[in-house]
């Protein structure tokens, strides 16, 4: 009986330690994500301040963007265009690298 109680305690401590490690991993992942999110917002803010963008609405359902791509291409020659989705917060330049994995990270 005494050996079984000790095994249960060891198992419980190991389980607690495992949950602690998972918690630390999740916490670090959230901090890294938050830092990356802040950097992305700063980059977007910089782009919106430096690049001239005019919107020409032809009707309620669509609009055309006139973007000064020259300034953006100076920063990143992989620039391919700009995407804006009405009714969402999507309003960004987009790029394409030599392979599909380069801009994923």
């Amino acid at each position: 009986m005494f050996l079984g109680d000790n095994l249960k305690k060891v198992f419980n401590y190991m389980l607690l330690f495992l949950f602690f490690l998972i918690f630390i991993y999740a916490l670090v992942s959230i901090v890294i994500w938050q830092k990356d999110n802040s950097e992305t917002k700063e980059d977007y803010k910089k782009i919106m301040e430096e690049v001239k963008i005019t919107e020409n609405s032809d009707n309620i359902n669509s609009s055309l963007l006139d973007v000064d791509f020259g300034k953006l291409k100076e920063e990143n020659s992989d620039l391919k265009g700009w995407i804006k989705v009405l009714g969402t917060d999507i309003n960004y330049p987009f790029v394409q690298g030599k392979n599909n994995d380069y801009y994923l990270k």
Side-chain angles (χ1 to χ4, degrees):
M1 190 84 152
F2 181 70
L3 183 62
D5 289 341
N6 282 340
L7 284 177
K8 284 181 182 178
K9 283 183 181 180
V10 169
F11 178 74
N12 286 339
Y13 283 124
M14 288 176 60
L15 198 57
L16 183 64
F17 183 70
L18 178 65
F19 288 145
F20 178 73
L21 288 178
I22 291 170
F23 174 76
I24 294 298
Y25 175 79
L27 190 62
V28 168
S29 295
I30 290 169
V31 168
I32 291 171
W33 174 81
Q34 183 63 35
K35 182 179 179 279
D36 184 50
N37 193 32
S38 290
E39 290 173 0
T40 300
K41 284 181 181 181
E42 287 299 317
D43 289 343
Y44 179 72
K45 183 178 174 183
K46 181 182 169 190
I47 288 170
M48 296 307 283
E49 289 172 355
E50 292 179 355
V51 177
K52 182 182 176 188
I53 302 170
T54 21
E55 189 169 348
N56 303 318
S57 296
D58 59 355
N59 64 39
I60 289 178
N61 295 324
S62 69
S63 62
L64 300 173
L65 294 177
D66 184 20
V67 180
D68 179 16
F69 287 108
K71 181 74 174 170
L72 288 171
K73 285 214 176 229
E74 288 175 15
E75 295 284 327
N76 190 339
S77 62
D78 289 345
L79 175 76
K80 293 298 179 189
W82 194 282
I83 184 168
K84 179 176 182 178
V85 179
L86 296 175
T88 70
D89 290 334
I90 298 172
N91 186 16
Y92 303 106
F94 62 89
V95 294
Q96 181 180 13
K98 293 180 174 78
N99 63 48
N100 292 333
D101 295 327
Y102 183 76
Y103 284 107
L104 289 178
K105 300 187 181 196

